Every structure is written in C-alpha cells, then in structure tokens.
Amino acid sequence: MTSRAVLKSWWPAGRGEWTLLLAGVNLMLLNFILVQHLTVALRHEEIAVIVFSLAYFLGVSLGYFVSDRLSAGFVRAALPVCLVVQMALLVGMQALYYVVEKSAGGFAAGSVVLVVVATGVTSVPAVFLPRALAAGGGLRRSYSVEIAGSLLGLLLVPVLAPIAHECVLGAYFASYLALAVTAGAGRWMTAGLALLAGVYLANFGAWDRAAAGWFDARFYGWQVDEVLLARYTPYHKIEVVRSGRDHRLLLNGKRQFGGDPRRVYAYFVAEYPARLLGRPATAVLGCGSMSTVGRIGGFVPSVRIVDIDPEVFRASHRYFGDYNRLDELHNWTFTPDDAKHWVANTPERFGLMLHDIPPARSRQVALTYTEEFFRLAKARLEPDGIFSISSLTPVSARSPYGRRVLATLDRVFEHYFVFVLRDAAYFYGGGPGLREPGVEELRQAIDPAWRGQVRIYTRAMIKELVSEEKIITTANVGDLIYD
C-alpha cells in the first residue's frame, strides 16, 4: 500500500469523523490548559490534579448523558455561552477560588470550581462524541479517529507551550470553532466566535496580569504597583510583582521570593558555608531569585546553576539583578535540567552544593527531599564538601515537616551541624571527610550582625531531637507533603 493510500485510509471521512478528530484535539489541549490554571488557582499541584480528574470524568459523563437529550439547535446556541464561561474561568479561576475559600473554606471552593469546570468546560466536547459515533463508520474506526485527534493535540502542546500560553489557547479556540462548524453553526455565529476568540487572545495577557495583581494584593497583603510578568511555561506560571522598591517572585501562585534586603537567607544558605570552605566550586540546585549566587559569586571560582525551567532563570536574571548580580559576574553557567536527573548523571564534583528548591508541597519537588536524593547529592561532593539546605518550618513547630527533613539528612550525612535563626533551620552536611568545627568556632565564623541570634545544634543534639521522626524516601513522600 502506498503512503498516499495509507494517508487516505486514515483521513477523516464525513462530518462525524471530523467531529471525532476535533474533539480529540480539543480535549487534549483543554486538559493541559485546565491543569495549569487549576494549579495556580488552588496553589497545590496534587490537589489541582485531583480536582481536574474529577471534573474531567464528571464532565465527560455529563456530556454523554445529555448528548441525546439536547437538540442540535440547543447545542449550537449553547456553544457561545460555554465559550464565554470558559474564557472568564481561565482569567478568573484564581479569584473565584479565593473568594469562596475565604467565605466558606477550601473544600467548598474546590467543589465550586469542580462543578463549574465539569458543567461548562469538560462536558462540551463530550456532547459531540456520541452523536459522532452514531454517524461514524464503526466503533473501532471511530475510536481510532478520536485517538488520532488526541495524539495530534498532545503533539501540539510541546510545540506551542514554549512559545506562549496564548498559542495554546489559540489552538484550543481554533478547535472549538471547528467543532462549532461541524455542529452546523451558521456563518454569523462562526464569525462571532472567531471575533470573540481574537479579542480574548489579544487582551488575555493584560486581563491575566490584572487578575493576578488583584489576588496577590488580597491574599498576600501586598501593595501591588504592577505585575511586571505573568508568563506560563510547560512547568510554571511565573509572576513578577513590583511592590514599592521590591520585586516579588511567584511560581504557580505561590510566593518564592518576597524581597530580602539584608540577604539573610542567602548568607546562611550560601555565604557562610562558602567562607567556611574557602573558595569552593559551587552548584546551586533551583533558581528563584538566585540571591545565593550574588552572595558568593564574587569569591568562589565557579557557580553551576541548575533549574528545570529556563524561563524562571530568565525572569530572575532580568528582574532580580540587584540580588543575583549575574550581569556583574562571569563565573556562572546555567544548565536547564531537572535537579534529580542532573545530580544523578553529572560527573562533576563540588565543594559546595546548595539546595535552593521550594518547599516540598508536590511529589516532584518532594523527591528532592528524600533519602535517595540526598545520597546522590552527597556523592557529588568533594571529600570535605558541604551540602547546604534550609527549612523554613521551625524544628520546634507543631508540624513535623522540618524535623522529618532533618531526620532524613541525619540518616545520610555522617558529619553536619545545624543553625536555627528565628523560624528557619540551616543544615550543613558532608561525608566522612568533612571537619566538624566546635560550637564556638562555628559561632565566631558567623557575621556579627547575626552571631548573637543564632542557635547552634550539634549532631548529637539533632539526633536526639529527630529520633522518633519518619525518614522520607521515594516511597513515602506524602508524609512530608501532607504533614
């Protein structure tokens, strides 16, 4: 069979098969878009995926259920209404969740979002499927066409998402418009839907920044002068907010850097261990503001920055130069890679390795807080090297989060010491070759600005503190996330 014959055999035949193909494309694009927006709105990746999964299956079931109960004319008339609902939801989902959560709690807010998504979003493509199957050329053929459409939609995501979120939205709206045409939408309705989609795409960035500014001002209590950046990538929604003279960084709706004029975090995570070692070759796992790089870049020989999302690096380079000083420094390199993959595969060894990754609030991030990851990191240290990591949950808190992290680190590192300043704990660990200075020597090495405020915990003190805490592994990361 020639390639032309193969293509012809797979090419959709008739309106029913075109509907199936377009519904597959539409659903795949919709899945990607919804997961991104739900993650931002709910501020928790795991819960967002659960809500999305429920909304998806409920919506598809609802679409199947009502498909033969709705006239073709009603379906066509409902298409513009559903599109407007979807557009409003994509911009306003975070605000909707926040308003309901504030007045009725998180469960009620998640339920409201679930119902809106299931009724006005995921149910729409499903309405077409039973109709198209009935008009198609056999069940096997029909499912093949739908799966082909799903694969096509899946292939579009990695091509369009790195360019701009509006490109993914544009492809979704194009598939929605094409579905309307196969449903028999007239010339005027088609033109109206196309105009609506065009206006929305042209203004999406401004409307999305305005909605983000409204939420950030109320949820975080910030004075939001301007949302300088609100960019969606395959990994995050990156926001940079200007508040007075400070810039603040958010990833997926969660604050990652809120300004630190005294550079306290960067001093204890990066500069203190670097000064203790002298001039160590350094690796920084995670991006954020990269204030750690700015703190040590002037005296260490090299800094390797590793982050899975190059757009986070670019945003930090552009907006947080006062902290990271990347334009002044020339001894850094950036590697766009997942920290777990990079640590497991790099042949390099470092005198200092900084864990600058956000707190463990999703499984992917929590995997960098496990015994397995810490052992990989230790294997990349020079014999007298230091692995530096912080926990912003105090060791004395009711939550066991900080103590479980320390218990896991204690299991891995033979030698270490811990500083506690206010509500943060800073861990410095290494292998058998790491020298453990005495308490007074450690204290005298601290900058005088903080010397009197730091509590120093020796290895024996930490062992006693965490003796009954769980060790976090890849098998039980949920015990760290949902503490």
Side-chain angles (χ1 to χ4, degrees), residues 6 110-111 164 173 176 217 255 281 324-325 336 403 408 465 467 477:
V6 172
S111 300
F173 292 146
Y176 191 98
R255 177 178 58 190
N324 55 57
R325 302 191 299 126
R403 295 187 296 276
T408 307
L465 179 68
S467 60
V477 289

Side-chain angles (χ1 to χ4, degrees), residues 68-89:
D68 61 350
R69 292 168 170 79
L70 302 176
S71 67
F74 182 88
V75 171
R76 286 193 294 271
L79 286 173
V81 177
C82 290
L83 185 60
V84 170
V85 170
Q86 293 177 20
M87 290 174 168
L89 189 64

Side-chain angles (χ1 to χ4, degrees), residues 17 23 40 58 60 68 113 122-123 150 172 186 192 203 236 241 277 293 318 339 405 414 441-442 453 456:
E17 289 194 356
V40 176
L58 284 173
V60 169
D68 61 350
V113 170
T122 56
S123 62
S150 299
Y172 170 71
N203 291 278
H236 301 106
V241 175
L277 292 167
V293 179
R318 178 178 179 183
V405 171
E414 291 88 347
E441 184 181 348
L442 290 171
Q453 305 171 45
I456 299 176

Side-chain angles (χ1 to χ4, degrees), residues 224-286:
V224 177
D225 297 316
E226 185 180 4
V227 178
L228 298 169
L229 178 70
R231 176 170 173 75
Y232 294 82
T233 76
Y235 308 102
H236 301 106
K237 180 187 180 183
I238 307 166
E239 294 174 45
V240 177
V241 175
R242 183 172 64 82
S243 179
R245 299 178 62 182
D246 292 326
H247 286 167
R248 309 181 190 277
L249 175 68
L250 298 96
L251 298 180
N252 289 337
K254 294 177 289 188
R255 177 178 58 190
Q256 300 299 320
F257 182 74
D260 182 15
R262 299 182 68 198
R263 277 65 169 178
V264 179
Y265 171 85
Y267 172 78
F268 282 100
V269 167
E271 183 173 348
Y272 182 85
R275 297 276 185 199
L276 206 62
L277 292 167
R279 299 180 68 253
T282 302
V284 180
L285 308 180

Side-chain angles (χ1 to χ4, degrees), residues 63 96 120 170 172 311 345 481:
L96 173 65
Y172 170 71
E311 290 302 324
N345 291 279
I481 301 169

